[in-house]
Amino acid sequence: PVSCLFLSTCSLVTLNVLLTAFIILILTLAFSKSTSKVVSSNTKPVANLGEDQILSCYVSAESQPNRLGQVSVSWDKTDLGKVYRYENGAPALDGQASEFKGRARVFPDAVAIGNASLLLRSVRSSDEGEYTCTIRSSVGHGTVSIQLRTAVFSVPTLKFSNNILTSEASSWFPKPDVTWLNQTGNELNANTSFTEPSPGIYSILSTLQSAKVSETYSCRIENSLVVAVTEATVTGTVLVETFFTFSVASTQLVSFYLNIITSALCIFYVL
């Protein structure tokens, strides 16, 4: 009788252990299926005040099927609350922060395949801050945080006359530094002046004396958020190419060529 009792007790203990392991396995599988990897191609974008900006948010390719079924999207700003909601195939804007009414939207066709990127129109300085994007679907959910920063930057124009190369830019904020380089990368002496057409917004006029025909020069306009480099080859006219870089962190820059910015916005739409 004692041995039978011992065997029965051992069997119960073994059964409990197996049952517990089975429950843990089921919960683990269920949890793994309920979480999708939501990411952003740029978690620290720099928006140009007054222009439209895309905030990137999508389900990574490795964690999604071709279509996600029923999808809901939530965009929130830390200090203001609801920026935009999309659920049941339509916007759900009750309770939307007044600052974003008529200025925020997602792209329904893109949402269906896991891209919840937000179009924010006519960016304001008050738009700066932390945003969260949450995507929920029949296969899971996930969230990513995005830190939007704002600046003012414009494309410089270059002119050449009487051996003087002039660079003008209409609006920059924060106040930038201006540097000229020759084609071997040596820094050149130039005269630069700033005016404020509106408080805190700077216009730039920079002149390089004794510029030579057939030489290539670079004018670099830079602040803590944005760098614009304009390369100019002096011929009978000035052949110019400008590209921007936007700071991601103090030690990292991500480059965007000016002539593909519009195309990049279109790509975000169709992803």
Side-chain angles (χ1 to χ4, degrees), residues 59 63-71 111-114 135 137-139:
V59 178
S63 63
Q64 66 159 315
N66 291 331
R67 299 187 72 87
L68 299 179
Q70 194 67 38
V71 181
V111 168
I113 56 173
I135 302 175
S137 73
S138 56
V139 300

Side-chain angles (χ1 to χ4, degrees), residues 120-141:
L120 186 58
R121 296 192 178 278
S122 301
V123 171
R124 308 167 181 171
S125 57
S126 58
D127 293 334
E128 186 166 293
E130 184 177 5
Y131 293 74
T132 57
C133 169
T134 301
I135 302 175
R136 297 179 181 275
S137 73
S138 56
V139 300
H141 70 276

Side-chain angles (χ1 to χ4, degrees), residues 139-155:
V139 300
H141 70 276
T143 299
V144 66
S145 295
I146 297 167
Q147 187 71 34
L148 177 64
R149 298 165 298 165
T150 59
V152 178
F153 49 95
S154 59
V155 181

Side-chain angles (χ1 to χ4, degrees), residues 14 33 102-103 106 108 110 112 175 191 214:
T14 302
K33 289 183 179 179
R103 298 178 54 232
V106 297
K175 185 177 181 180
N191 298 316
S214 300

Side-chain angles (χ1 to χ4, degrees), residues 41-236:
S41 63
N42 187 0
T43 58
K44 294 184 178 180
V46 178
N48 200 356
L49 291 179
E51 297 189 3
D52 297 348
Q53 177 68 32
I54 291 283
L55 302 185
S56 165
C57 173
Y58 56 93
V59 178
S60 63
E62 63 268 20
S63 63
Q64 66 159 315
N66 291 331
R67 299 187 72 87
L68 299 179
Q70 194 67 38
V71 181
S72 67
V73 175
S74 299
W75 277 95
D76 296 276
K77 190 169 185 281
T78 301
D79 57 341
L80 292 176
K82 182 190 288 189
V83 175
Y84 196 86
R85 293 283 194 282
Y86 183 87
E87 54 189 31
N88 298 321
L93 303 181
D94 289 343
Q96 181 186 35
S98 59
E99 290 83 354
F100 298 103
K101 288 185 177 180
R103 298 178 54 232
R105 60 161 295 187
V106 297
F107 304 100
D109 291 343
V111 168
I113 56 173
N115 187 342
S117 296
L118 182 79
L119 174 62
L120 186 58
R121 296 192 178 278
S122 301
V123 171
R124 308 167 181 171
S125 57
S126 58
D127 293 334
E128 186 166 293
E130 184 177 5
Y131 293 74
T132 57
C133 169
T134 301
I135 302 175
R136 297 179 181 275
S137 73
S138 56
V139 300
H141 70 276
T143 299
V144 66
S145 295
I146 297 167
Q147 187 71 34
L148 177 64
R149 298 165 298 165
T150 59
V152 178
F153 49 95
S154 59
V155 181
T157 58
L158 273 70
K159 299 177 182 179
F160 178 70
S161 178
N162 298 323
N163 294 326
I164 298 174
L165 193 56
T166 303
S167 176
E168 294 184 68
S170 61
S171 51
W172 275 74
F173 171 81
K175 185 177 181 180
D177 296 319
V178 180
T179 306
W180 288 85
L181 304 173
N182 62 16
Q183 58 192 11
T184 59
N186 295 319
E187 187 171 339
L188 304 172
N189 292 323
N191 298 316
T192 301
S193 60
F194 298 91
T195 57
E196 287 187 65
S198 58
I201 307 298
Y202 295 91
S203 293
I204 303 162
L205 176 63
S206 186
T207 57
L208 179 68
Q209 305 288 333
S210 302
K212 299 177 181 179
V213 175
S214 300
E215 293 284 327
T216 298
Y217 300 91
S218 295
C219 178
R220 181 183 179 95
I221 304 175
E222 176 179 12
N223 61 27
S224 59
L225 296 173
V226 185
V227 179
V229 177
T230 301
E231 295 183 353
T233 300
V234 179
T235 58

